[in-house]
Amino acid sequence: MTASDPGSRTPDPAGRAERLRAAARELSDRNWIESAAGGFHLPSAESYCSFFAWDSGWNVIGLSVVRPDRALRELQTIFALQETQGPMAGHVPHEVRFPNLGRRDGPARLALIWLLRKQYDARGRSRFIDPPSYLLAAEVLWRRTGDARVLELLPAMERCLDYLLRTRDRFGDGLISLIHPWESGCDSAPIFEAPLGVHAGGRLASARREWRGLRLYHWLDRCGWDVETIARGSRFLCEDVGTNGIAAAGALAAATLADAAAEPDRAARWRATARGMVDAMERVLWDDARGSFFPRYDPQRPTLARRTCANALAPLMTGLVSPDKAARVVDGFLASERHFAAPWPVAFNSREEIARDGVPFQPQALWRGPCVWISMNWIAARAAARAGRADVAEHITERTAELVDRSGFREYYDPETGRGAGARGFTWPALVLDMLETHGPDVAALAPAPRVH
Ligand code: GLC
């Protein structure tokens, strides 16, 4: 047993924060990699030996508390991997395979990568996008360290947003469309069943959805990964709430950095972008009868996929969602035991829905069934705080700290029992350090979000 995998150790709330910090430092040493493109943390040295962009964004946020030097280097690496030329200029790859690192992967993962090798270009860079958590990371790192080198990344952040909004606005409403569920980072989440054309619950639906996901993947390859060609023929195109909420909050992060760089016009541009994205989400992704946001798919016949998962909280991070809607999402879902308020919050999938639809837990199909992912807890706490519910943010934070302290730094957890699952020595749970500093007991509530004038 190691400090980062404490198993059944008895919790000691008094020393918990320090214990978590010590475990995160140790894990940072274990997962830190010096690559040709720069330093970064692997998601898990045992299970995922690639660079994953949204993972790195979460790593920067969590480890900025105990390793601000590495956090800055990781943020610089993310943008060093950004495409600089051609039609994909501004694209930050979802994943990058480094040949020397690949040798560390186990046989099962190597087989999977071989099967899915077509997404990588000759430099090992995936053509997929992902939710730009790294934009939020830049703001967190800037606020925490005030290091001027973070401000130097503003142009790269802007290129990233420009790329997403230029190439992925497939419904013409200012929101980003995904071309495959994997781009959401929430791979096999039930929200993608309807967009993939799978409607039944249970194990059969799960198998069919994996098959459809693979078929879609190979079709994208036949399109040469050209988004224009894909957009002409795909019914999957999906406005994911998590991706758009994170991107809108990312636009506000760019505005914060532009203000810090004394560039008010740039700041105003990104505030207006965030405002426009939130307005669009309220217009086209909001279901007033249910009181939440849902993803939308198929530009020919736009349809909401009415499955309830916690990435619906992401737009609230902007502080721009109208107060009545934000309150409905927090009270009706985040704080409701029917949905996300499990004994170990935050249940990623609605408890009521997965019980009703018989969505079983399957370790090989991530983000299905009962599961807690610490990136979503970070989003949920921030969303609650922005909606004026510091009490909810603090509760999630304390339970998350207890969970990680008891069950170790794991890929995900069981919301009913708190048992850790998936990869061990997983870097994301370091996010709890930022949660403790931001929403923990004795911390003043977040400053009000900037408003657009
Ligand atoms: C899984 C997760 C994804 C993550 C990756 C590396 O595919 O679903 O969100 O980026 O592993 O940790």
Side-chain angles (χ1 to χ4, degrees):
M1 191 178 297
T2 66
S4 58
D5 196 7
S8 59
R9 193 175 51 205
T10 313
D12 162 20
R16 182 178 293 141
E18 187 40 48
R19 214 165 36 240
L20 289 168
R21 281 195 288 268
R25 274 189 213 102
E26 188 200 304
L27 189 60
S28 165
D29 291 342
R30 209 179 338 148
N31 289 351
W32 181 253
I33 287 293
E34 294 287 350
S35 78
F40 67 92
H41 292 92
L42 296 172
S44 152
E46 288 165 33
S47 308
Y48 293 103
C49 294
S50 297
F51 163 91
F52 285 90
W54 94 314
D55 292 61
S56 280
W58 303 131
N59 300 345
V60 170
I61 294 172
L63 291 166
S64 64
V65 176
V66 288
R67 296 269 195 232
D69 46 341
R70 284 186 177 167
L72 175 64
R73 291 198 53 210
E74 184 151 12
L75 190 64
Q76 290 168 329
T77 302
I78 296 167
F79 290 110
L81 287 164
Q82 184 177 40
E83 191 58 71
T84 52
Q85 290 167 358
M88 289 183 75
H91 172 250
V92 174
H94 173 89
E95 181 184 353
V96 180
R97 301 281 303 156
F98 291 98
N100 55 335
L101 279 183
R103 283 195 286 274
R104 292 168 166 226
D105 275 315
R109 183 148 160 79
L110 281 177
L112 186 71
I113 286 162
W114 185 84
L115 189 71
L116 304 176
R117 65 193 178 283
K118 291 173 173 171
Q119 74 180 280
Y120 309 102
D121 69 12
R123 297 163 303 171
R125 298 180 184 191
S126 164
R127 272 90 162 203
F128 283 137
I129 61 164
D130 55 7
S133 61
Y134 24 91
L135 303 178
L136 310 182
E139 180 179 353
V140 169
L141 190 61
W142 163 250
R143 287 191 192 276
R144 182 157 284 130
T145 64
D147 190 321
R149 287 172 294 180
V150 179
L151 300 185
E152 289 169 12
L153 297 171
L154 177 60
M157 292 167 65
E158 295 180 317
R159 284 194 291 275
C160 167
L161 283 163
D162 280 333
Y163 171 78
L164 293 172
L165 297 167
R166 183 182 77 244
T167 64
R168 292 304 187 90
D169 179 6
R170 307 314 321 190
F171 289 68
D173 55 13
L175 297 177
I176 297 161
S177 296
L178 306 184
I179 57 172
H180 194 283
W182 296 339
E183 293 195 314
S184 69
C186 306
D187 308 357
S188 300
I191 40 174
F192 297 117
E193 282 177 6
L196 284 169
V198 179
H199 294 279
R203 284 190 188 277
L204 190 62
S206 188
R208 283 179 57 209
R209 108 161 268 303
E210 293 308 309
W211 168 244
R212 295 263 171 102
L214 272 179
R215 230 174 47 180
L216 174 60
Y217 176 90
H218 288 289
W219 180 77
L220 297 176
D221 188 59
R222 284 203 299 283
C223 294
W225 302 94
D226 175 58
V227 180
E228 298 307 322
T229 313
I230 292 165
R232 278 195 294 276
S234 177
R235 291 190 53 212
F236 175 82
L237 295 168
C238 181
E239 297 182 314
D240 173 51
V241 185
T243 306
N244 280 289
I246 290 173
L252 288 180
T256 300
L257 266 59
D259 272 336
E263 300 257 19
D265 293 347
R266 281 163 91 175
R269 176 188 170 206
W270 293 116
R271 286 210 173 89
T273 300
R275 171 84 270 170
M277 291 183 79
V278 172
D279 286 349
M281 285 189 273
E282 291 198 343
R283 215 173 39 249
V284 300
L285 304 186
W286 178 258
D287 178 341
D288 205 49
R290 297 206 184 195
S292 189
F293 295 100
F294 294 90
R296 193 164 80 133
Y297 63 101
D298 191 357
Q300 303 307 318
R301 293 187 334 175
T303 311
L304 289 184
R306 288 187 177 82
R307 297 299 283 270
T308 311
C309 88
N311 78 356
L313 290 153
L316 275 60
M317 291 194 294
T318 60
L320 299 175
V321 173
S322 57
D324 55 320
K325 290 191 173 71
R328 288 186 72 188
V329 179
V330 172
D331 294 332
F333 291 89
L334 182 56
S336 162
E337 290 182 5
R338 289 170 51 205
H339 299 291
F340 306 143
W344 297 95
V346 174
F348 175 70
N349 291 306
S350 157
R351 299 168 85 201
E352 182 179 87
E353 240 171 61
I354 55 175
R356 184 197 66 205
D357 296 350
V359 179
F361 178 74
Q362 294 162 296
Q364 71 281 17
L366 298 173
W367 303 85
R368 295 183 68 74
C371 51
V372 175
W373 293 75
I374 303 303
S375 56
M376 289 298 149
N377 286 21
W378 186 86
I379 288 174
R382 182 161 277 236
R386 286 278 194 246
R389 296 298 303 275
D391 56 325
V392 176
E394 185 179 323
H395 172 70
I396 294 169
T397 298
E398 291 207 68
R399 289 297 276 169
T400 304
E402 200 178 336
L403 177 66
V404 179
D405 191 34
R406 276 170 183 253
S407 302
F409 284 55
R410 298 296 298 268
E411 191 173 9
Y412 52 95
Y413 305 83
D414 184 320
E416 309 301 327
T417 65
R419 212 165 51 84
R424 290 172 191 277
F426 201 65
T427 319
W428 293 10
L431 282 167
V432 72
L433 304 183
D434 179 70
M435 292 169 71
L436 282 166
E437 289 212 346
T438 314
H439 318 287
D442 308 326
V443 172
L446 277 181
R451 310 297 306 188
V452 178
H453 300 293

